[in-house]
Amino acid sequence: MAAAVTGTPERAESEITACSPQPAYTAAPHREALSAEDFVAGFLEDRDTELMCSKTVGELMEHLTEQNNTLKEQVLTVSSLVPPKVSAALSAVEDARCSLEALLQREQLTFNMLHKHLQDAQPWMDKLEQTCNQVDFIERHMKYLRCLQHIEELSDFEKLLTQLHWPIISPPTQSLTPTPGCQEMEGQLELLVGQLLALQTSDDLLSQRTLDSSEALSPPQLSKPAPLCLPIQIMLLPLNKRFKYHFYGNRQTNSLSKPEWYLTQVLMWMGNNSTFMEETIQPILDRGGVTLSAKVELCRGLLSLVQEKVASDASKLLYDDVLFCHLVEEVLQFEKELRSNHSYPAELPGVLHLLLEDAVLQKWLTMEKKMAVEKMDAMLSAERAWSSQYKDISDMDDLKAPDCAETFMTLLQVITERYRTLPCPSAQLKFLELQKELVDDFRIRLTQVMKEESRCPLGVRYCAILNAVNYISTILGDWGDDVFFLQLQQTAVSLGEEAIPGGLGIMEMGRLASLEGSLFDGLLALLDRLKGDMLGRLLDFLMREIKEKAKPYCQERWLSLPSQQDQSTMSLSSTACPMMLCVRDRLLNLHQVLGFSLFHLAWQGLAERLDNFLYQDVILCNNFSDGGAAQLQFDMTRNLFPLFGHYCKKPENFFKHVKEACIILCLNVGSAILLRSLIKESDMTRDCAGTGDPPPESALNELGVYCLAPCDVLILLSLRTSCPGQWYPS
């Protein structure tokens, strides 16, 4: 029985009940809820007849005693078995609870791992979905292409083109007799082209619907070129095959060092087939109401082959300087011929935009600078670097630029022509900054050579450097007024600091915007400063030489020179001859070695300095008799001034101090006394009001004196010895 009573407490209780013997007397159902006393009383009432017999009572008593003992044993047995079963049940429940908690923890861990996995896998799911969409899109296009292929197989279009000798590989020759069935083939060609155009039109409508539905969900993007006309696409197939056959793979014609092979071949195909496109295909397109140029469509199709090939080659040549430069030159030449010889529209992209990729453009700029620096080194060290190639042709040598300067500016002009046609203004500005950097580098080199030659400013090399600086400054000034650079200037203003490294101030930006300045103002200022410094050194050297020659003239005995009434008998002072010869020779020398504008500045600067020197060191440092004053005037007006008369109409206007001093010194005695009195009286009555006397300046102007002040005139009058007494300014 102990083995049978296992499991839960409820099960144990049911087993106990089942194993217990049933009592001899079972109360009625309605008495089940009675108490023990009521049960005994009822039991006795039911057996009242049996209790009357002692034998029956004894048997009943024994039976009840036996039954009571049995029940006690059962109670004892069951009570001893129940605690182990309950303990086992509780242990089982605890184990189940622990297992349940472990399962719940595992379930939470699994849930977290699954959630993280789903998050990590979401981008892949998105990409997979996108890839699946692309696959669906490609599958639809493949089905469409299969349909097109089937339609092409049913058409007689390619066969008809073959009969018309398409494509024309070699230059076409005019046939004297028409081809048999030519009109019939042209009719078939027009029919097939019309059908292909109709087929492409329906496809364009479907594509436009798809594009319209996607534009609402996607941001706006740059417009892509329209697809080629379908008949032209088919016509280009044999040329595409030829191009890929010759210029891809291991063919000898596929050479990175010979990009001109495939570029020239494409240009030849354009030229050879242009007549067929214009005379045969274009009328069909016009009659079909298609506003396309057959020749341009052919060029567009062939150009796509070139674009793909150039892009591939350029990326392979980034680390080969020689081949990269060669590719750029050939691409630029191809673009030039494409636009000029084949009239390819400017609004359609060519191949230059392929050179504007970041890596390619940076390589191009680097190579331009590298090659320019190498050429600068070569041109400055050349044997004829400082001589002018036009020195023997006076009409073409106004600037007298040395070869190195002309070669350098030609180099800059070539760079300009290379980037002038680029479709991106910001890229053009990068090349402009490179040019400005090269100009500044060349200026520094000229400055270094100038310092080496500064000991002899009249030397050929020094003057050649000065001519070079002036030539470069003149050319840059002309460039500042060129339409191309003015457009770049407006682009730089619109782009702001992004266009010009280092940025510009508000004033500079305003001057550029109003076209008051140019992009070369900074360089022009540096060049003008260098030119002014070199001219100053040159004139200082000349004046030192002239002053040395003029020492005897400064020490001339002007007081003892006799008066001569007839100037026709006068001659140049002997002491002035070395100075005059020096001035004459140096002017002739400067005229020969300096450019016209530079020489103009040089002789004017020399005249100004010579005027100050003669006024300060000759006139103000001496006293003059009438004869001395007349001799001085003769030396100046009949000898010095005419030396400069070869270069201007009125050279005396550049010697104002000397000219006016000679006027004062040569006044007759009466006029000199009156002039002195007028100036003295004017000084005394200057502060008095109500005086009606004219100012002394009016009298001086009547004499032709405009530069000298009244106090200077008094000093000059005091230098005269022809009148009694000495006049000194108060």
Side-chain angles (χ1 to χ4, degrees), residues 69-115:
N69 294 331
T70 301
L71 289 174
K72 288 181 179 179
E73 292 178 358
Q74 291 180 352
V75 169
L76 292 175
T77 302
V78 171
S79 62
S80 63
L81 294 176
V82 168
K85 292 182 178 179
V86 172
S87 177
L90 293 175
S91 177
V93 170
E94 182 65 23
D95 293 341
R97 185 185 65 79
C98 293
S99 299
L100 181 60
E101 290 180 353
L103 289 174
L104 289 175
Q105 291 178 355
R106 291 177 58 190
E107 184 271 341
Q108 184 63 35
L109 180 62
T110 304
F111 175 79
N112 294 337
M113 293 176 60
L114 179 61
H115 183 68

Short mmCIF file of all heavy atoms in Angstrom, two decimals, residues 69-115:
data_model
loop_
_atom_site.label_atom_id
_atom_site.label_comp_id
_atom_site.label_asym_id
_atom_site.label_seq_id
_atom_site.Cartn_x
_atom_site.Cartn_y
_atom_site.Cartn_z
N ASN A 69 -10.64 -1.06 15.54
CA ASN A 69 -9.21 -1.37 15.50
C ASN A 69 -8.67 -1.32 14.07
O ASN A 69 -7.54 -0.86 13.82
CB ASN A 69 -8.95 -2.73 16.14
CG ASN A 69 -9.26 -2.73 17.64
OD1 ASN A 69 -9.15 -1.69 18.32
ND2 ASN A 69 -9.62 -3.89 18.19
N THR A 70 -9.49 -1.84 13.18
CA THR A 70 -9.04 -1.84 11.77
C THR A 70 -8.86 -0.42 11.25
O THR A 70 -7.89 -0.10 10.57
CB THR A 70 -10.08 -2.61 10.92
OG1 THR A 70 -10.19 -3.95 11.41
CG2 THR A 70 -9.63 -2.62 9.46
N LEU A 71 -9.82 0.40 11.62
CA LEU A 71 -9.73 1.80 11.17
C LEU A 71 -8.51 2.50 11.77
O LEU A 71 -7.84 3.31 11.12
CB LEU A 71 -11.00 2.55 11.53
CG LEU A 71 -12.26 2.16 10.73
CD1 LEU A 71 -13.50 2.86 11.26
CD2 LEU A 71 -12.08 2.50 9.26
N LYS A 72 -8.22 2.19 13.03
CA LYS A 72 -7.05 2.80 13.65
C LYS A 72 -5.78 2.41 12.93
O LYS A 72 -4.87 3.23 12.73
CB LYS A 72 -6.97 2.39 15.12
CG LYS A 72 -8.02 3.05 16.01
CD LYS A 72 -7.85 2.61 17.45
CE LYS A 72 -8.86 3.27 18.39
NZ LYS A 72 -8.74 2.86 19.81
N GLU A 73 -5.70 1.07 12.58
CA GLU A 73 -4.49 0.63 11.87
C GLU A 73 -4.34 1.34 10.52
O GLU A 73 -3.25 1.73 10.11
CB GLU A 73 -4.56 -0.89 11.68
CG GLU A 73 -4.43 -1.65 12.98
CD GLU A 73 -4.55 -3.18 12.75
OE1 GLU A 73 -4.77 -3.56 11.57
OE2 GLU A 73 -4.38 -3.93 13.71
N GLN A 74 -5.50 1.45 9.85
CA GLN A 74 -5.44 2.13 8.53
C GLN A 74 -5.01 3.60 8.67
O GLN A 74 -4.21 4.11 7.88
CB GLN A 74 -6.81 2.05 7.85
CG GLN A 74 -7.16 0.65 7.41
CD GLN A 74 -8.54 0.59 6.72
OE1 GLN A 74 -9.26 1.59 6.71
NE2 GLN A 74 -8.89 -0.58 6.17
N VAL A 75 -5.56 4.25 9.73
CA VAL A 75 -5.19 5.65 9.93
C VAL A 75 -3.71 5.78 10.23
O VAL A 75 -3.00 6.66 9.72
CB VAL A 75 -6.04 6.26 11.05
CG1 VAL A 75 -5.48 7.63 11.45
CG2 VAL A 75 -7.47 6.38 10.60
N LEU A 76 -3.19 4.84 11.07
CA LEU A 76 -1.77 4.89 11.39
C LEU A 76 -0.92 4.64 10.15
O LEU A 76 0.13 5.27 9.96
CB LEU A 76 -1.46 3.88 12.50
CG LEU A 76 -2.06 4.19 13.88
CD1 LEU A 76 -1.78 3.03 14.85
CD2 LEU A 76 -1.46 5.47 14.44
N THR A 77 -1.36 3.68 9.36
CA THR A 77 -0.58 3.34 8.15
C THR A 77 -0.54 4.52 7.16
O THR A 77 0.50 4.89 6.63
CB THR A 77 -1.16 2.10 7.48
OG1 THR A 77 -1.15 1.02 8.41
CG2 THR A 77 -0.36 1.76 6.24
N VAL A 78 -1.72 5.08 6.95
CA VAL A 78 -1.80 6.19 5.97
C VAL A 78 -1.04 7.42 6.47
O VAL A 78 -0.34 8.10 5.73
CB VAL A 78 -3.29 6.52 5.69
CG1 VAL A 78 -3.38 7.81 4.87
CG2 VAL A 78 -3.93 5.39 4.96
N SER A 79 -1.16 7.71 7.77
CA SER A 79 -0.46 8.89 8.31
C SER A 79 1.05 8.76 8.22
O SER A 79 1.77 9.74 8.11
CB SER A 79 -0.89 9.11 9.76
OG SER A 79 -0.50 7.99 10.56
N SER A 80 1.54 7.49 8.26
CA SER A 80 2.99 7.29 8.12
C SER A 80 3.45 7.41 6.67
O SER A 80 4.62 7.63 6.41
CB SER A 80 3.37 5.92 8.70
OG SER A 80 2.75 4.89 7.96
N LEU A 81 2.55 7.19 5.72
CA LEU A 81 2.91 7.24 4.29
C LEU A 81 2.76 8.65 3.68
O LEU A 81 3.44 9.00 2.73
CB LEU A 81 2.07 6.25 3.50
CG LEU A 81 2.31 4.77 3.81
CD1 LEU A 81 1.34 3.90 3.01
CD2 LEU A 81 3.74 4.38 3.46
N VAL A 82 1.88 9.50 4.17
CA VAL A 82 1.57 10.79 3.53
C VAL A 82 2.75 11.78 3.54
O VAL A 82 3.07 12.39 2.53
CB VAL A 82 0.31 11.41 4.19
CG1 VAL A 82 0.14 12.87 3.76
CG2 VAL A 82 -0.90 10.60 3.80
N PRO A 83 3.52 12.04 4.61
CA PRO A 83 4.62 13.04 4.58
C PRO A 83 5.66 12.79 3.51
O PRO A 83 6.05 13.73 2.81
CB PRO A 83 5.20 12.96 5.99
CG PRO A 83 4.06 12.49 6.83
CD PRO A 83 3.28 11.53 5.99
N PRO A 84 6.18 11.58 3.27
CA PRO A 84 7.15 11.39 2.16
C PRO A 84 6.56 11.75 0.81
O PRO A 84 7.23 12.32 -0.05
CB PRO A 84 7.53 9.92 2.26
CG PRO A 84 7.26 9.55 3.67
CD PRO A 84 6.05 10.34 4.08
N LYS A 85 5.32 11.42 0.57
CA LYS A 85 4.70 11.72 -0.72
C LYS A 85 4.55 13.23 -0.92
O LYS A 85 4.82 13.76 -2.00
CB LYS A 85 3.34 11.05 -0.82
CG LYS A 85 3.42 9.53 -0.89
CD LYS A 85 2.04 8.92 -1.02
CE LYS A 85 2.12 7.38 -1.13
NZ LYS A 85 0.78 6.78 -1.25
N VAL A 86 4.13 13.90 0.17
CA VAL A 86 4.00 15.36 0.05
C VAL A 86 5.36 16.03 -0.20
O VAL A 86 5.50 16.94 -1.02
CB VAL A 86 3.34 15.93 1.32
CG1 VAL A 86 3.37 17.47 1.30
CG2 VAL A 86 1.93 15.42 1.44
N SER A 87 6.39 15.54 0.50
CA SER A 87 7.73 16.09 0.31
C SER A 87 8.23 15.87 -1.11
O SER A 87 8.81 16.76 -1.73
CB SER A 87 8.69 15.45 1.32
OG SER A 87 10.01 15.91 1.11
N ALA A 88 7.95 14.64 -1.61
CA ALA A 88 8.36 14.35 -3.00
C ALA A 88 7.62 15.24 -3.98
O ALA A 88 8.18 15.73 -4.97
CB ALA A 88 8.12 12.87 -3.31
N ALA A 89 6.32 15.46 -3.69
CA ALA A 89 5.53 16.32 -4.58
C ALA A 89 6.05 17.75 -4.55
O ALA A 89 6.19 18.41 -5.60
CB ALA A 89 4.05 16.27 -4.17
N LEU A 90 6.37 18.24 -3.34
CA LEU A 90 6.90 19.60 -3.25
C LEU A 90 8.25 19.72 -3.95
O LEU A 90 8.55 20.73 -4.59
CB LEU A 90 7.04 19.99 -1.78
CG LEU A 90 5.72 20.17 -1.00
CD1 LEU A 90 5.99 20.45 0.47
CD2 LEU A 90 4.91 21.30 -1.61
N SER A 91 9.09 18.70 -3.81
CA SER A 91 10.39 18.72 -4.51
C SER A 91 10.21 18.75 -6.02
O SER A 91 10.93 19.47 -6.74
CB SER A 91 11.21 17.50 -4.08
OG SER A 91 12.44 17.47 -4.79
N ALA A 92 9.21 17.95 -6.48
CA ALA A 92 8.96 17.94 -7.92
C ALA A 92 8.47 19.30 -8.40
O ALA A 92 8.85 19.78 -9.48
CB ALA A 92 7.94 16.83 -8.26
N VAL A 93 7.62 19.91 -7.56
CA VAL A 93 7.13 21.25 -7.93
C VAL A 93 8.28 22.25 -7.99
O VAL A 93 8.37 23.09 -8.89
CB VAL A 93 6.05 21.70 -6.93
CG1 VAL A 93 5.71 23.17 -7.14
CG2 VAL A 93 4.81 20.84 -7.07
N GLU A 94 9.22 22.19 -7.00
CA GLU A 94 10.36 23.12 -6.99
C GLU A 94 11.26 22.92 -8.21
O GLU A 94 11.72 23.89 -8.83
CB GLU A 94 11.16 22.91 -5.71
CG GLU A 94 12.36 23.86 -5.54
CD GLU A 94 11.91 25.29 -5.38
OE1 GLU A 94 10.73 25.51 -4.97
OE2 GLU A 94 12.71 26.21 -5.66
N ASP A 95 11.47 21.63 -8.56
CA ASP A 95 12.27 21.35 -9.76
C ASP A 95 11.60 21.90 -11.01
O ASP A 95 12.25 22.45 -11.91
CB ASP A 95 12.50 19.84 -9.90
CG ASP A 95 13.38 19.29 -8.78
OD1 ASP A 95 14.09 20.12 -8.14
OD2 ASP A 95 13.37 18.07 -8.57
N ALA A 96 10.30 21.75 -11.05
CA ALA A 96 9.57 22.25 -12.22
C ALA A 96 9.66 23.77 -12.30
O ALA A 96 9.81 24.35 -13.39
CB ALA A 96 8.10 21.80 -12.15
N ARG A 97 9.58 24.43 -11.10
CA ARG A 97 9.69 25.88 -11.10
C ARG A 97 11.07 26.35 -11.58
O ARG A 97 11.20 27.29 -12.38
CB ARG A 97 9.41 26.41 -9.70
CG ARG A 97 9.37 27.95 -9.60
CD ARG A 97 9.21 28.40 -8.17
NE ARG A 97 10.38 28.03 -7.37
CZ ARG A 97 11.53 28.71 -7.37
NH1 ARG A 97 11.67 29.78 -8.15
NH2 ARG A 97 12.55 28.31 -6.63
N CYS A 98 12.12 25.70 -11.09
CA CYS A 98 13.48 26.07 -11.52
C CYS A 98 13.66 25.85 -13.02
O CYS A 98 14.27 26.68 -13.73
CB CYS A 98 14.52 25.25 -10.74
SG CYS A 98 14.57 25.65 -8.98
N SER A 99 13.13 24.73 -13.49
CA SER A 99 13.24 24.46 -14.93
C SER A 99 12.49 25.52 -15.73
O SER A 99 12.94 25.96 -16.79
CB SER A 99 12.68 23.06 -15.24
OG SER A 99 13.40 22.06 -14.56
N LEU A 100 11.32 25.92 -15.20
CA LEU A 100 10.53 26.93 -15.90
C LEU A 100 11.28 28.26 -15.95
O LEU A 100 11.29 28.94 -16.99
CB LEU A 100 9.18 27.10 -15.20
CG LEU A 100 8.23 28.13 -15.84
CD1 LEU A 100 7.91 27.74 -17.27
CD2 LEU A 100 6.96 28.24 -15.02
N GLU A 101 11.93 28.65 -14.83
CA GLU A 101 12.70 29.90 -14.84
C GLU A 101 13.87 29.83 -15.81
O GLU A 101 14.18 30.80 -16.51
CB GLU A 101 13.20 30.20 -13.42
CG GLU A 101 12.10 30.59 -12.45
CD GLU A 101 12.66 30.89 -11.06
OE1 GLU A 101 13.87 30.66 -10.87
OE2 GLU A 101 11.89 31.35 -10.19
N ALA A 102 14.56 28.69 -15.85
CA ALA A 102 15.67 28.54 -16.79
C ALA A 102 15.19 28.66 -18.23
O ALA A 102 15.82 29.28 -19.08
CB ALA A 102 16.37 27.19 -16.57
N LEU A 103 14.01 28.03 -18.47
CA LEU A 103 13.45 28.12 -19.82
C LEU A 103 13.08 29.56 -20.16
O LEU A 103 13.29 30.01 -21.30
CB LEU A 103 12.23 27.20 -19.95
CG LEU A 103 12.51 25.70 -19.97
CD1 LEU A 103 11.21 24.91 -19.95
CD2 LEU A 103 13.33 25.33 -21.20
N LEU A 104 12.53 30.27 -19.16
CA LEU A 104 12.17 31.66 -19.42
C LEU A 104 13.42 32.51 -19.70
O LEU A 104 13.40 33.39 -20.57
CB LEU A 104 11.41 32.23 -18.21
CG LEU A 104 9.99 31.70 -18.00
CD1 LEU A 104 9.41 32.24 -16.71
CD2 LEU A 104 9.10 32.08 -19.18
N GLN A 105 14.50 32.25 -18.97
CA GLN A 105 15.75 32.99 -19.22
C GLN A 105 16.30 32.69 -20.61
O GLN A 105 16.74 33.58 -21.34
CB GLN A 105 16.79 32.65 -18.15
CG GLN A 105 16.44 33.19 -16.76
CD GLN A 105 17.47 32.80 -15.72
OE1 GLN A 105 18.40 32.04 -16.04
NE2 GLN A 105 17.30 33.27 -14.49
N ARG A 106 16.25 31.40 -20.96
CA ARG A 106 16.72 31.03 -22.29
C ARG A 106 15.85 31.66 -23.37
O ARG A 106 16.32 32.09 -24.43
CB ARG A 106 16.74 29.51 -22.44
CG ARG A 106 17.80 28.81 -21.60
CD ARG A 106 17.72 27.30 -21.75
NE ARG A 106 17.88 26.90 -23.14
CZ ARG A 106 17.67 25.68 -23.60
NH1 ARG A 106 17.30 24.72 -22.76
NH2 ARG A 106 17.84 25.41 -24.87
N GLU A 107 14.56 31.69 -23.05
CA GLU A 107 13.63 32.29 -24.03
C GLU A 107 13.93 33.78 -24.20
O GLU A 107 13.93 34.30 -25.34
CB GLU A 107 12.19 32.08 -23.55
CG GLU A 107 11.12 32.56 -24.54
CD GLU A 107 10.73 34.01 -24.33
OE1 GLU A 107 11.01 34.54 -23.25
OE2 GLU A 107 10.19 34.61 -25.28
N GLN A 108 14.23 34.51 -23.09
CA GLN A 108 14.54 35.94 -23.18
C GLN A 108 15.86 36.17 -23.93
O GLN A 108 15.98 37.08 -24.76
CB GLN A 108 14.62 36.54 -21.77
CG GLN A 108 14.85 38.04 -21.74
CD GLN A 108 13.71 38.81 -22.36
OE1 GLN A 108 12.54 38.41 -22.23
NE2 GLN A 108 14.02 39.88 -23.08
N LEU A 109 16.87 35.31 -23.61
CA LEU A 109 18.15 35.42 -24.30
C LEU A 109 18.00 35.17 -25.79
O LEU A 109 18.55 35.88 -26.63
CB LEU A 109 19.15 34.42 -23.67
CG LEU A 109 20.55 34.41 -24.30
CD1 LEU A 109 21.22 35.77 -24.14
CD2 LEU A 109 21.40 33.33 -23.65
N THR A 110 17.22 34.13 -26.11
CA THR A 110 16.99 33.83 -27.52
C THR A 110 16.26 34.97 -28.22
O THR A 110 16.56 35.33 -29.36
CB THR A 110 16.18 32.53 -27.65
OG1 THR A 110 16.86 31.48 -26.96
CG2 THR A 110 16.00 32.14 -29.12
N PHE A 111 15.31 35.58 -27.50
CA PHE A 111 14.56 36.69 -28.06
C PHE A 111 15.49 37.89 -28.33
O PHE A 111 15.41 38.52 -29.39
CB PHE A 111 13.44 37.10 -27.10
CG PHE A 111 12.69 38.32 -27.54
CD1 PHE A 111 11.71 38.24 -28.53
CD2 PHE A 111 12.98 39.56 -26.99
CE1 PHE A 111 11.02 39.38 -28.94
CE2 PHE A 111 12.30 40.70 -27.40
CZ PHE A 111 11.32 40.59 -28.38
N ASN A 112 16.38 38.18 -27.37
CA ASN A 112 17.32 39.29 -27.55
C ASN A 112 18.26 39.04 -28.73
O ASN A 112 18.54 39.92 -29.54
CB ASN A 112 18.12 39.53 -26.27
CG ASN A 112 17.25 40.02 -25.13
OD1 ASN A 112 16.17 40.59 -25.36
ND2 ASN A 112 17.69 39.81 -23.90
N MET A 113 18.78 37.81 -28.79
CA MET A 113 19.68 37.47 -29.89
C MET A 113 18.96 37.57 -31.24
O MET A 113 19.51 38.07 -32.22
CB MET A 113 20.24 36.06 -29.69
CG MET A 113 21.18 35.93 -28.49
SD MET A 113 21.72 34.22 -28.23
CE MET A 113 22.54 33.90 -29.76
N LEU A 114 17.75 37.10 -31.25
CA LEU A 114 16.97 37.15 -32.49
C LEU A 114 16.69 38.60 -32.89
O LEU A 114 16.80 38.97 -34.07
CB LEU A 114 15.65 36.39 -32.31
CG LEU A 114 14.71 36.38 -33.53
CD1 LEU A 114 15.40 35.72 -34.72
CD2 LEU A 114 13.41 35.65 -33.20
N HIS A 115 16.36 39.43 -31.89
CA HIS A 115 16.09 40.84 -32.18
C HIS A 115 17.34 41.54 -32.72
O HIS A 115 17.27 42.29 -33.70
CB HIS A 115 15.60 41.53 -30.91
CG HIS A 115 15.23 42.97 -31.12
ND1 HIS A 115 14.15 43.37 -31.88
CD2 HIS A 115 15.83 44.13 -30.68
CE1 HIS A 115 14.08 44.69 -31.91
NE2 HIS A 115 15.09 45.17 -31.18
#
